[in-house]
């Protein structure tokens, strides 16, 4: 990850609960260039974003441009989409793969699950050229959104997005206590 934090606090993710949103650390682009220059050409894929939000990095566009200058590898951006408008031009230009975590297309449900602004994400998705960029929408299936599944299929087809759905699951997060809101969302 090129950042250490996320701008959302989702019910199914406890990774950043102990870190204030304001506590953001980023990878220096020059250090990245120095340590990856001779190795990027050997890659088939590179992913920006794993458990942290890469679009929080103010220089994400420079990372993408540098990777493309060194390699023809596939560039995947894993994001929640809140800041997508800031980098949509470079994502379109370099034909990145885009995986947007979006668990509801209902404002109230989205706000409950992600705590963010759904209309902002939906508008940001409109800035992506699906003729240049493969867009994957990843939905974590849980009690609060399982009834939306059919509408998801329609939404993704209408917008030329691919849909990936995974059930919510427990994973070890280094904490002894699992939050009740997480337990309430388990499907089985």
């Amino acid at each position: 990850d090129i950042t250490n934090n996320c701008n959302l606090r989702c019910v199914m993710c406890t990774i950043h609960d102990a870190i204030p949103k304001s506590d953001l650390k980023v990878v220096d682009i020059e250090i990245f260039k120095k340590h990856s220059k001779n190795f990027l050409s050997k890659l088939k894929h590179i992913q920006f974003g794993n458990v942290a939000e890469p679009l929080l990095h103010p220089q994400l566009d420079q990372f993408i441009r540098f990777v493309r200058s060194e390699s023809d590898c596939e560039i995947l951006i894993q994001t929640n989409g809140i800041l997508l408008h800031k980098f949509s031009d470079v994502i379109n230009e370099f034909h990145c793969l885009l995986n947007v975590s979006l668990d509801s297309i209902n404002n109230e449900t989205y706000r409950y699950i992600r705590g963010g602004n759904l209309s902002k994400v939906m508008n940001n998705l409109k800035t992506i050229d699906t003729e240049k960029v493969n867009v994957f929408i990843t939905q974590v299936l849980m009690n609060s959104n399982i009834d939306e599944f059919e509408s998801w299929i329609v939404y993704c087809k209408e917008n030329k997005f691919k849909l990936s759905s995974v059930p919510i699951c427990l994973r070890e997060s280094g904490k002894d206590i699992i939050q009740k809101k997480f337990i309430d969302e388990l499907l089985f």
Side-chain angles (χ1 to χ4, degrees):
D1 280 319
I2 58 172
T3 67
N4 71 327
N5 211 329
C6 187
N7 51 348
L8 297 179
R9 295 296 183 265
C10 305
V11 298
M12 70 292 214
C13 181
T14 59
I15 292 173
H16 301 291
D17 283 351
I19 303 171
K21 288 181 187 178
S22 60
D23 183 16
L24 177 66
K25 293 180 178 60
V26 298
V27 172
D28 182 286
I29 184 69
E30 296 307 320
I31 292 172
F32 178 81
K33 287 178 179 180
K34 179 182 173 186
H35 291 286
S36 63
K37 186 163 182 66
N38 296 322
F39 135 132
L40 286 172
S41 63
K42 299 174 182 147
L43 297 180
K44 292 184 181 179
H45 312 280
I46 190 167
Q47 178 173 330
F48 291 108
N50 184 26
V51 295
E53 176 56 48
L55 278 65
L56 285 171
H57 199 300
Q59 297 174 313
L60 174 63
D61 57 334
Q62 292 180 40
F63 282 84
I64 294 170
R65 289 181 192 286
F66 175 71
V67 168
R68 183 54 70 230
S69 73
E70 296 292 316
S71 174
D72 290 330
C73 72
E74 196 170 62
I75 300 171
L76 170 64
I77 312 294
Q78 172 67 48
T79 179
N80 58 40
I82 297 288
L83 301 173
L84 191 55
H85 61 286
K86 291 183 174 187
F87 300 103
S88 58
D89 287 345
V90 73
I91 290 168
N92 287 326
E93 179 183 348
F94 291 103
H95 301 247
C96 299
L97 288 172
L98 183 65
N99 190 349
V100 180
S101 299
L102 186 63
D103 303 295
S104 181
I105 51 178
N106 171 289
N107 281 319
E108 189 176 310
T109 307
Y110 180 83
R111 196 174 311 109
Y112 164 73
I113 294 172
R114 295 219 165 239
N117 184 328
L118 177 62
S119 62
K120 188 171 196 164
V121 177
M122 299 301 239
N123 287 332
N124 287 346
L125 280 167
K126 292 175 185 172
T127 67
I128 300 299
D129 182 349
T130 57
E131 298 298 320
K132 295 179 179 179
V133 177
N134 282 319
V135 178
F136 296 83
I137 301 294
T138 300
Q139 174 194 37
V140 177
L141 295 172
M142 57 187 94
N143 282 326
S144 58
N145 69 3
I146 191 72
D147 293 336
E148 296 179 33
F149 189 71
E150 286 184 37
S151 60
W152 270 105
I153 294 169
V154 171
Y155 171 77
C156 286
K157 281 184 179 180
E158 287 175 350
N159 291 283
K160 300 181 183 175
F161 301 153
K162 294 165 181 61
L163 176 63
S164 171
S165 297
V166 295
I168 193 168
C169 60
L170 291 172
R171 66 176 171 211
E172 191 170 329
S173 66
K175 294 184 177 185
D176 295 327
I177 298 172
I178 298 172
Q179 296 179 3
K180 182 180 180 330
K181 65 182 180 181
F182 185 89
I183 299 293
D184 291 344
E185 289 300 330
L186 290 173
L187 292 171
F188 40 84

